[in-house]
């Protein structure tokens, strides 16, 4: 493994783990605040118990997210010094604001965890709300920084110099809204289904059914609504990619030849040598309609992009198809939940119904990982779209592959620790909260 691939792989591993911790850290405090509000309004002890149980999970993921996020901050400077030298002054504002949001979140979480029976109940609840707001703000700010890499703005690039820097324009670049919206909805969808799936498993085992049923309802309402809304934000992101990153969109669709009535390809395995897709299903005109709202207008294909500027098509296309397939299935399950809530309440006690949510516990995060792969691999060979290539930004320091191996082991150990802590916490629920 050469140093360039090792550096990219290390960032991929770091981002792959951190994005899961971040999604949960963004969303779980919201669930916690909803449950806490229900306890204050109804006085039912079960909601207080749910809140306290979830708050321990929030603390676990806050700690692991802080560790993995700190590692990422160092990796940006150590692995990509040329990138940070030039880009840091331009898109540093969202990173610095994310640091402020993180500190607010840490302070609010401390107040919340240790404030039971010490603060006014509404002030205490407000600290939990602040954890949720600052967590979501942190996620949006980080995505804003990443979206700048896809749609760089806020500077003039003249003779290799970055001049006339405008940090505000850089932060609110042409892709920040669509990417932030898509990522936030994805976080709610993935976390909602994951939390609901765990509680569905406990319901199926007949363990502390009242506790887990109420917790399941809070989580799945958010998860289902987010899953139903996700295709709309995805459409917005695809249209933005067509405008700002046509090579990425073409790779997502494995779309090799520009033509009228541009087809949408479902599934399939790209054959880049022969510039075609094997085993895929083409729907003529649908890609044109999705991008331009008419069936005839041609969408730019890979044949309009110089070969040296094209992203890896196979990885991008397969990751995109995985994201779409899982997202579509989650949307259908979300609709099914609301049908059950409206017309078929007897389904809630059926094994097959619970099994659906148990099965889809991890799938939302698989879709998130696939979507993140599309975002990062689909931008290659650029680290800053159209301005700086990834190969130009990597550190000249040798031996990066050793760092890659070390950090992979660190993240695996960290993940095992998280799983063990969460498993222990779930087992403690009947003992602590079954009253």
């Amino acid at each position: 493994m050469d140093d360039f691939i090792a550096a990219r792989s290390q960032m991929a591993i770091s981002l792959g783990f951190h994005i899961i911790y971040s999604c949960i850290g963004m969303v779980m405090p919201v669930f916690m605040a909803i449950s806490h509000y229900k306890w204050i309004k109804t006085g039912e002890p079960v909601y207080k118990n749910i809140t306290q149980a979830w708050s321990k999970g929030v603390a676990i993921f806050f700690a692991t997210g802080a560790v993995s996020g700190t590692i990422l901050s160092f990796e940006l400077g150590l692995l990509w010094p040329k990138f940070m030298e030039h880009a840091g002054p331009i898109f540093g504002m969202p990173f610095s604001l994310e640091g402020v949001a993180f500190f607010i979140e840490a302070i609010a979480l401390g107040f919340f965890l240790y404030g039971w029976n010490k603060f006014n109940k509404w002030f205490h609840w407000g600290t939990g709300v602040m954890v949720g707001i600052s967590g979501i703000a942190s996620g949006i700010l980080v995505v804003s920084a990443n979206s700048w890499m896809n749609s760089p703005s806020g500077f003039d690039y003249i003779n290799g110099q970055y001049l006339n820097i405008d940090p505000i324009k850089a932060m609110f670049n042409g892709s920040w809204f669509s990417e932030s919206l898509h990522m936030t909805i994805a976080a709610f969808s993935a976390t909602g289904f994951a939390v609901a799936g765990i509680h569905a498993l406990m319901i199926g085992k007949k363990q502390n059914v009242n506790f887990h049923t109420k917790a399941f309802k809070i989580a799945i309402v958010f998860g289902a609504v987010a899953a139903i809304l996700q295709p709309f934000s995805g459409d917005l992101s695809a249209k933005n990619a067509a405008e700002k990153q046509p090579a990425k969109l073409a790779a997502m669709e494995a779309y090799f030849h520009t033509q009228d009535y541009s087809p949408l390809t479902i599934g399939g395995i790209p054959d880049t040598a022969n510039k075609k897709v094997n085993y895929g299903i083409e729907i003529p005109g649908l890609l044109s309609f999705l991008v331009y709202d008419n069936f005839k207008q041609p969408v730019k294909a890979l044949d309009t992009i110089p070969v040296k500027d094209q992203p890896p098509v196979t990885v991008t296309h397969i990751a995109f198809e995985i994201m779409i397939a899982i997202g579509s299935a989650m949307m259908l399950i979300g609709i099914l939940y609301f049908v059950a809530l409206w017309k078929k309440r007897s389904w809630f006690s059926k094994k097959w119904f619970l099994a659906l949510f148990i099965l889809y516990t991890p799938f939302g995060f698989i879709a998130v990982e696939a979507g993140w792969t599309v975002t990062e691999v689909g931008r290659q060979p650029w680290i800053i779209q159209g301005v700086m290539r990834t190969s130009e930004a990597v550190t000249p320091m040798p031996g990066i592959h050793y760092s890659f191996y070390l950090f992979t082991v660190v993240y695996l150990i960290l993940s095992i620790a998280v799983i063990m802590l969460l498993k222990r916490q779930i087992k403690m629920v009947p003992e602590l909260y079954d009253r």
Side-chain angles (χ1 to χ4, degrees):
M1 180 184 292
D2 64 39
D3 288 336
F4 177 58
I5 296 300
R8 287 187 61 192
S9 299
Q10 184 172 327
M11 285 300 296
I13 288 289
S14 301
L15 287 167
F17 279 100
H18 182 68
I19 196 170
I20 294 176
Y21 304 146
S22 297
C23 286
I24 297 172
M26 288 169 65
V27 176
M28 279 303 298
V30 177
F31 294 173
M32 182 181 75
I34 295 295
S35 177
H36 194 183
Y37 178 80
K38 283 179 169 287
W39 173 63
I40 293 173
K41 294 299 289 184
T42 67
E44 293 184 46
V46 66
Y47 286 116
K48 179 182 180 182
N49 299 336
I50 292 170
T51 305
Q52 291 178 327
W54 278 348
S55 68
K56 291 178 173 60
V58 169
I60 291 169
F61 281 103
F62 178 83
T64 52
V67 171
S68 60
T70 302
I71 291 173
L72 273 170
S73 298
F74 283 111
E75 285 178 340
L76 281 171
L78 293 173
L79 298 178
W80 313 103
K82 286 292 183 184
F83 168 68
M84 292 305 294
E85 176 187 349
H86 296 291
I90 304 170
F91 79 139
M93 178 174 285
F95 270 136
S96 61
L97 291 176
E98 192 275 336
V100 174
F102 173 80
F103 283 118
I104 293 173
E105 184 180 5
I107 294 167
L109 182 60
F111 276 125
F112 185 83
L113 291 175
Y114 299 103
W116 290 99
N117 304 317
K118 294 181 177 67
F119 297 134
N120 172 276
K121 62 182 180 181
W122 288 110
F123 176 82
H124 186 220
W125 175 75
T127 62
V129 172
M130 186 54 64
V131 174
I133 292 172
S134 53
I136 292 172
S138 292
I140 290 173
L141 288 164
V142 169
V143 172
S144 172
N146 179 263
S147 68
W148 178 84
M149 297 162 67
N150 297 324
S151 180
S153 60
F155 66 99
D156 294 322
Y157 187 63
I158 303 172
N159 297 325
Q161 299 292 315
Y162 297 79
L163 306 174
N164 303 322
I165 293 171
D166 183 346
I168 299 296
K169 189 175 179 180
M171 185 166 71
F172 297 107
N173 57 79
S175 296
W176 85 270
F177 177 76
S178 60
E179 288 193 26
S180 297
L181 178 66
H182 194 60
M183 186 67 240
T184 302
I185 293 175
F188 273 92
S189 178
T191 306
F193 269 82
V195 174
I198 292 170
H199 290 293
L201 179 64
M202 296 297 106
I203 294 168
K205 290 183 175 182
K206 308 295 184 184
Q207 293 183 9
N208 201 7
V209 173
N210 184 46
F211 176 96
H212 289 293
T213 298
K214 292 186 181 301
F216 170 84
K217 287 180 179 178
I218 293 172
I220 196 55
V221 165
F222 279 94
V225 169
I228 293 167
L229 292 176
Q230 189 69 298
F232 299 100
S233 72
D235 178 65
L236 188 65
S237 293
K239 284 181 167 63
N240 183 268
E243 179 186 352
K244 303 286 194 308
Q245 297 178 288
K248 176 186 285 187
L249 181 70
M252 287 159 56
E253 295 293 342
Y255 175 50
F256 292 99
H257 307 288
T258 303
Q259 56 190 292
D260 292 342
Y261 300 98
S262 301
L264 181 76
T265 302
I266 299 175
I269 300 173
D271 179 353
T272 53
N274 296 304
K275 301 187 185 308
K276 64 178 184 177
V277 180
N278 297 321
Y279 316 114
I281 300 171
E282 285 192 355
I283 305 176
L286 189 53
L287 183 60
S288 293
F289 178 76
L290 291 175
V291 172
Y292 298 118
D293 296 322
N294 75 73
F295 288 98
K296 185 177 181 180
Q297 186 170 345
V299 177
K300 289 183 179 179
L302 288 165
D303 59 5
T304 66
I305 310 295
V307 173
K308 64 184 178 64
D309 295 337
Q310 293 180 10
V313 176
T314 301
V315 173
T316 307
H317 176 71
I318 291 175
F320 179 68
E321 293 296 320
I322 290 171
M323 179 185 69
I324 293 296
I326 293 175
S328 298
M330 291 173 69
M331 178 187 69
L332 293 174
I333 295 171
I335 292 171
L336 192 67
Y337 171 78
F338 287 114
V339 169
L341 194 65
W342 182 38
K343 288 285 188 180
K344 299 286 185 180
R345 288 186 173 269
S346 61
W347 288 356
F348 290 118
S349 60
K350 303 293 185 182
K351 288 185 178 180
W352 67 266
F353 190 75
L354 290 173
L356 273 177
F357 297 97
I358 296 169
L359 175 66
Y360 266 77
T361 299
F363 277 86
F365 290 117
I366 294 174
V368 167
E369 296 285 9
W372 199 252
T373 300
V374 171
T375 297
E376 295 303 298
V377 176
R379 190 180 59 247
Q380 300 307 311
W382 305 100
I383 193 168
I384 306 174
Q385 180 69 42
V387 177
M388 178 185 285
R389 292 179 180 272
T390 310
S391 58
E392 297 170 348
V394 71
T395 178
M397 183 180 70
I400 297 299
H401 58 285
Y402 295 116
S403 173
F404 165 62
Y405 299 142
L406 174 63
F407 278 94
T408 299
V409 172
V410 168
Y411 276 110
L412 287 173
I413 292 172
L414 190 63
S415 296
I416 291 169
V418 170
I419 292 169
M420 291 176 64
L421 287 169
L422 290 176
K423 186 176 180 181
R424 177 175 176 271
Q425 192 60 37
I426 292 169
K427 285 183 176 179
M428 289 172 62
V429 166
E431 178 183 338
L432 294 179
Y433 303 119
D434 194 9
R435 58 181 186 269

